[in-house]
């Protein structure tokens, strides 16, 4: 591997200080990623991000529930299941419409070209960014990762609320959630590629983007089982008044929430079934929001480091880091 501090291009030109610093960072980044446990660790971290938020919900023992979650766990009262699902589904449909709008914009290189011109660079197309300074390309993505993480949290939260709808809602939300995250992952990677002058529609670039999508899919699969458990727990506790050993033993989510809320001193350390029931939907929202936020953040980070690496390798004639294979 090249020494970042003394990296030179094919013509013997020394890197400027900014490029040298980034080259050192990307080499360290890909070296860490070459660890065979990296994906598993990242998937675990993503889920823990959601679980930590869920734990916070339990400790606070909040009496309020997001409106979408309230609608999702209302009693059937003889109504058809479709009627029960309708309010939560409407909120998800609105979110999916937003995702569609985002996807169209992210996949359009014209936005990058317009943004570059506003930043003072005169270009005819995004491809001209290949000749720009790396620092300029990096600046085109300022705060974007935070924005995409927020979008992931909103999407995950909405899908988490849908998962609390009895029976059918859980299945519907997991299927739709996976699709939405895959579409967003692809679109985010495309936006990053355009920001460094790489054509996201090029077959070679699409291979890398697909690898990113596959990685995010594996994290999503890992989230499915916990979401199913939370959904079943919500259905089991809905309408219950009294505790029972069967309720606790059949649903570890309920048992765990009861213990946490008692430790937190909720209701004097004697938490009621109703109190735990109110917290379960928020746990589903927290898991979905935390995990999806982490997934999209990881996709954005991988895409940015990849494009920075490609950019510097081509500019200075450097060898691709050995750990770059995702």
């Amino acid at each position: 591997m090249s020494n970042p501090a003394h990296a030179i291009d094919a013509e013997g030109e020394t890197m400027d200080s900014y490029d040298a610093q980034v080259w050192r960072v990307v080499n360290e980044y890909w070296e860490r990623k070459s660890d065979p446990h990296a994906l598993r660790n990242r998937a675990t971290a993503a889920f823990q991000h959601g679980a930590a938020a869920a734990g916070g919900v339990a400790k606070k023992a909040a009496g309020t529930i997001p409106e979408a979650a309230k609608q999702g766990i209302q009693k059937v009262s003889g109504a058809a299941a479709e009627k029960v699902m309708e309010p939560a589904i409407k909120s998800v449909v609105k979110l999916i419409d937003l995702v569609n709008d985002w996807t169209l914009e992210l996949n359009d290189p014209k936005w990058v070209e317009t943004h570059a011109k506003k930043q003072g660079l005169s270009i005819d197309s995004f491809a001209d960014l290949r000749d720009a300074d790396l620092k300029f390309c990096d600046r085109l993505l300022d705060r974007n990762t935070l924005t995409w993480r927020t979008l992931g949290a909103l999407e995950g939260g909405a899908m988490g609320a849908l998962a609390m709808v009895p029976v059918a809602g859980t299945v519907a939300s997991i299927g739709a959630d996976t699709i939405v995250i895959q579409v967003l992952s692809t679109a985010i990677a495309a936006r990053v590629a355009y920001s460094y002058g790489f054509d996201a529609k090029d077959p070679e670039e699409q291979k890398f983007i697909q690898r990113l999508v596959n990685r995010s899919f594996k994290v999503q699969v890992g989230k499915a089982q916990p979401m199913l458990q939370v959904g079943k727990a919500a259905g089991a506790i809905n309408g219950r008044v009294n505790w029972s050993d069967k309720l606790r033993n059949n649903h570890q989510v309920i048992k765990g929430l009861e213990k946490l809320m008692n430790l937190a001193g909720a209701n004097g350390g004697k938490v009621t079934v109703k109190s735990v029931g109110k917290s379960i939907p928020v746990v589903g929202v927290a898991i979905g929001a935390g995990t999806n936020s982490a997934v999209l953040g990881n996709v954005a980070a991988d895409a940015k480091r990849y494009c920075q690496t490609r950019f510097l390798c081509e500019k200075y004639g450097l060898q691709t880091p050995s750990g770059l294979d995702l």
Side-chain angles (χ1 to χ4, degrees):
M1 185 176 297
S2 302
N3 185 336
H6 301 90
I8 57 175
D9 69 8
E11 298 179 356
E13 180 183 351
T14 304
M15 277 187 177
D16 64 42
S17 59
Y18 184 88
D19 288 2
Q21 180 182 4
V22 173
W23 180 245
R24 181 178 64 253
V25 170
V26 296
N27 271 272
E28 293 172 351
Y29 186 83
W30 296 121
E31 186 173 356
R32 290 195 304 271
K33 294 294 289 291
S34 64
D35 180 350
H37 301 297
L39 176 59
R40 183 178 64 190
N41 293 340
R42 179 166 286 197
T44 300
F47 178 70
Q48 287 176 342
H49 188 72
V57 170
K59 291 178 181 178
K60 292 178 182 178
T64 58
I65 307 175
E67 189 59 33
K70 285 184 180 180
Q71 296 167 340
I73 62 170
Q74 61 181 288
K75 291 183 179 180
V76 177
S77 303
E82 289 80 4
K83 289 295 182 182
V84 179
M85 293 176 67
E86 187 175 344
I89 289 177
K90 283 184 177 179
S91 68
V92 173
V93 168
K94 290 180 180 178
L95 199 287
I96 291 176
D97 285 340
L98 174 62
V99 169
N100 282 331
D101 291 341
W102 263 92
T103 302
L104 289 174
E105 180 185 303
L106 290 171
N107 280 293
D108 185 1
K110 293 296 182 183
W111 186 95
V112 172
E113 295 168 2
T114 300
H115 189 42
K117 291 174 182 177
K118 287 181 179 179
Q119 295 291 322
L121 185 65
S122 179
I123 58 174
D124 294 324
S125 77
F126 71 91
D128 294 339
L129 290 168
R130 300 277 281 275
D131 297 321
D133 289 336
L134 177 63
K135 188 174 185 178
F136 182 89
C137 296
D138 286 346
R139 200 162 59 238
L140 291 177
L141 294 172
D142 280 352
R143 298 187 63 80
N144 274 310
T145 297
L146 177 61
T147 300
W148 296 329
R149 288 181 69 98
T150 302
L151 181 61
L154 289 172
E155 186 275 337
M159 294 299 181
L162 181 59
M164 298 306 101
V165 177
V167 188
T170 303
V171 178
S173 69
I174 290 174
D177 186 36
T178 300
I179 293 172
V180 168
I181 287 297
Q182 303 319 300
V183 169
L184 280 174
S185 296
T186 302
I188 287 171
R191 165 56 59 81
V192 174
Y194 287 132
S195 297
Y196 291 89
F198 299 114
D199 187 356
K201 296 182 176 64
D202 181 89
E204 289 302 312
E205 303 303 328
Q206 287 182 355
K207 288 180 182 178
F208 171 76
I209 290 173
Q210 189 57 51
R211 288 200 294 271
L212 284 180
V213 171
N214 290 341
R215 288 170 60 82
S216 66
F217 176 75
K218 290 177 181 178
V219 175
Q220 289 296 97
V221 169
K223 185 183 68 175
Q225 188 59 35
M227 289 295 289
L228 283 170
Q229 293 174 358
V230 173
K232 289 178 180 178
I237 205 170
N238 186 34
R240 293 291 296 266
V241 176
N242 299 316
W243 284 110
S244 72
D245 290 337
K246 181 178 180 181
L247 180 64
R248 293 185 178 99
N249 294 334
N250 288 350
H251 301 281
Q252 292 301 308
V253 172
I254 293 174
K255 185 176 181 179
L257 276 173
E258 180 193 10
K259 183 176 181 179
L260 278 172
M261 292 171 71
N262 279 331
L263 288 173
N267 297 326
K270 295 182 179 180
V271 66
T272 64
V273 174
K274 185 177 180 180
S275 296
V276 174
K278 286 182 178 180
S279 295
I280 288 178
V282 192
V283 171
V285 170
I287 290 175
T291 305
N292 286 3
S293 174
V295 167
L296 294 187
N298 290 338
V299 167
D302 277 352
K304 180 177 180 179
R305 294 308 183 196
Y306 169 76
C307 289
Q308 286 176 324
T309 305
R310 282 276 309 279
F311 190 98
L312 291 174
C313 284
E314 293 184 8
K315 181 177 180 179
Y316 293 100
L318 298 168
Q319 183 177 359
T320 302
S322 58
L324 180 58
D325 185 16
L326 291 177

